[in-house]
Amino acid sequence: MTSDSASPKTAVDRVPQAVRWIGEEDGHLEILDQTKLPLSREQVVCRDVPTVIEAIRMLRVRGAPAIGIAGGYGLVVAAREAVRAGMAPSAARSHILAQAEEIATARPTAVNLRWAVERSLGLLSSLPAETAAEQLAHVLLEEARAIHEEDRRLCAAIGRHGAAVLPEGGILTHCNTGALATGGDGTALATITTAWEQGRRFDIFADETRPLLQGGRLTAWELTERGIPVTVIVDSAAAHIMKSGRVSSVIVGADRITANGDAANKIGTYGLAVLAEAHGIPFFVAAPSSTFDLSLASGDDIPIEERDANEVKRPLGVQAAPETAAAANPAFDVTPARLIRGIVTEHGVISPVSRETVAEMLGSQP
Ligand code: MRU
């Protein structure tokens, strides 16, 4: 990966890449284990599909664009399995298709994962039936690299468009939407870092983001690595901080945005949008076009991932609730379009947010 030429000091220079393919088509996938951050930098070496799926499910790689990129490389890993097993062309293709479905369903909410897998499979289907497994691996690697490189460019564009609409004053963000979550400098976090690199100065508040602390462990770490000051707050402090006048805008990422502009994102995002409206603070979402799912009419149709109750009851291995208590752990919620001032995409900012303006920006039928 190269760094963004418009911005010589990108997160890519200082924050290790979330996902890397090492070598050529006979190489392997390397995933930075984000569950170990910020304490240690450890890589998961993926030479088989179960390892890729485990890394996605356990959030070793996470963030909608990054899991899409991992899914693209995951198909190359599947093709490598076929090569190692000496499969004939038709068996190799069937193996890749079966593994592709497993990868695409590893996490249900972020549409980027299925989007990337489908994109690579589309290419596969255009190749002759007699194409050997080695050649399938080669083609899939080229496509995964293209998805990865495109995302880097989309992040840079989102950063520029978002920086232009963020008002002066403090900014609050949620979860992690930076280099760790994408192939480039991020989405929502890129708008913040781009504004900072343009010389603007403001307070940045990062919600710690219970239960897995992506804000505290990852966003605060990324910003600190870049030399940008950040204040971590517990999620429940957001209302107080907004009321005190220290926040002029809220910007978050998204895992899936439907045709009407409703946006699924990390649990707690919807509450922030309600709070922002109550305090007259503009609420922005930043996401590439690969995060839009125009096949869904509204956010009511988005599948919400329910994760293990132990993530709530035993955060970081510390018993925080009686073992016998039940715990609900929805990983995402949906913010209705009416609460979103603008959606920052690589093409520009959708504002106001409606079925018509979403279709207009993405070049589709409303
Ligand atoms: O469960 P996670 O950590 O994968 O959730 C990530 C988020 O909700 C992000 O805000 C979203 O994927 C956008 S990342 C650019």
Side-chain angles (χ1 to χ4, degrees):
M1 283 280 289
T2 56
S3 53
D4 175 12
S5 58
S7 172
K9 289 182 176 178
T10 67
V12 176
D13 300 326
R14 300 186 183 110
V15 178
Q17 286 178 249
V19 175
R20 289 194 307 168
W21 184 266
I22 307 296
E24 292 307 314
E25 56 263 27
D26 57 349
H28 65 271
L29 174 61
E30 224 176 64
I31 286 174
L32 174 68
D33 188 348
Q34 297 188 32
T35 66
K36 301 288 195 316
L37 291 172
L39 287 177
S40 66
R41 297 186 190 193
E42 295 176 30
Q43 302 289 341
V44 181
V45 173
C46 304
R47 296 184 198 276
D48 54 54
V49 172
T51 308
V52 177
I53 291 175
E54 194 271 349
I56 294 173
R57 286 208 179 116
M58 298 309 292
L59 274 60
R60 301 188 197 288
V61 57
R62 30 74 43 210
I67 63 175
I69 294 164
Y73 287 124
L75 294 200
V76 190
V77 173
R80 290 297 309 154
E81 288 177 338
V83 172
R84 279 201 303 275
M87 289 183 192
S90 68
R93 196 176 283 248
S94 303
H95 175 75
I96 294 167
L97 285 175
Q99 296 307 301
E101 193 50 32
E102 296 290 318
I103 293 168
T105 51
R107 292 190 77 191
T109 303
V111 74
N112 306 61
L113 181 54
R114 182 164 285 282
W115 171 85
V117 168
E118 297 284 339
R119 174 168 155 171
S120 288
L121 288 184
L123 196 65
L124 202 71
S125 67
S126 69
L127 298 174
E130 63 275 15
T131 310
E134 286 88 351
Q135 182 60 15
L136 296 180
H138 175 76
V139 170
L140 288 169
L141 179 58
E142 293 294 297
E143 194 63 4
R145 282 183 167 147
I147 290 170
H148 198 163
E149 173 58 22
E150 269 172 42
D151 192 64
R152 188 190 69 78
R153 283 189 272 112
L154 301 190
C155 287
I158 288 170
R160 285 193 297 274
H161 291 305
V165 291
L166 286 178
E168 296 302 316
I171 302 175
L172 173 64
T173 189
H174 192 64
C175 198
N176 172 265
T177 59
L180 292 170
T182 63
D185 271 1
T187 57
L189 199 60
T191 71
I192 296 171
T193 54
T194 300
W196 189 271
E197 280 161 10
Q198 288 169 350
R200 289 170 57 185
R201 290 296 174 261
F202 38 79
D203 291 330
I204 303 169
F205 295 95
D207 277 349
E208 64 175 355
T209 317
R210 280 277 283 143
L212 296 178
L213 305 176
Q214 289 94 329
R217 291 188 305 108
L218 307 178
T219 298
W221 181 71
E222 277 198 38
L223 289 171
T224 306
E225 287 293 297
R226 296 178 69 127
I228 300 177
V230 56
T231 302
V232 179
I233 58 170
V234 295
D235 300 344
S236 47
H240 173 73
I241 299 284
M242 287 189 203
K243 187 162 170 254
S244 68
R246 298 165 72 190
V247 169
S248 301
S249 62
V250 178
I251 187 157
V252 299
D255 288 80
R256 194 184 297 228
I257 302 174
T258 53
N260 67 342
D262 291 351
N265 190 50
K266 180 51 55 193
I267 191 75
T269 301
Y270 172 41
L272 285 182
V274 171
L275 287 174
E277 189 193 41
H279 293 91
I281 295 169
F283 180 92
F284 295 98
V285 171
S289 48
S290 52
T291 300
F292 286 75
D293 182 353
L294 302 182
S295 74
L296 299 186
S298 84
D300 296 340
D301 303 326
I302 298 176
I304 300 295
E305 177 181 8
E306 184 73 32
R307 294 187 60 83
D308 192 329
N310 286 326
E311 290 180 349
V312 175
K313 292 203 291 185
R314 282 199 289 275
L316 304 178
V318 176
Q319 193 75 36
E323 195 50 41
T324 48
N329 190 11
F332 299 95
D333 56 28
V334 176
T335 299
R338 66 181 165 76
L339 296 178
I340 304 172
R341 174 69 59 89
I343 302 178
V344 183
T345 74
E346 72 271 23
H347 304 302
V349 181
I350 303 172
S351 182
V353 180
S354 69
R355 188 175 308 280
E356 290 69 31
T357 55
V358 167
E360 199 179 319
M361 186 64 84
L362 297 186
S364 59
Q365 296 296 316

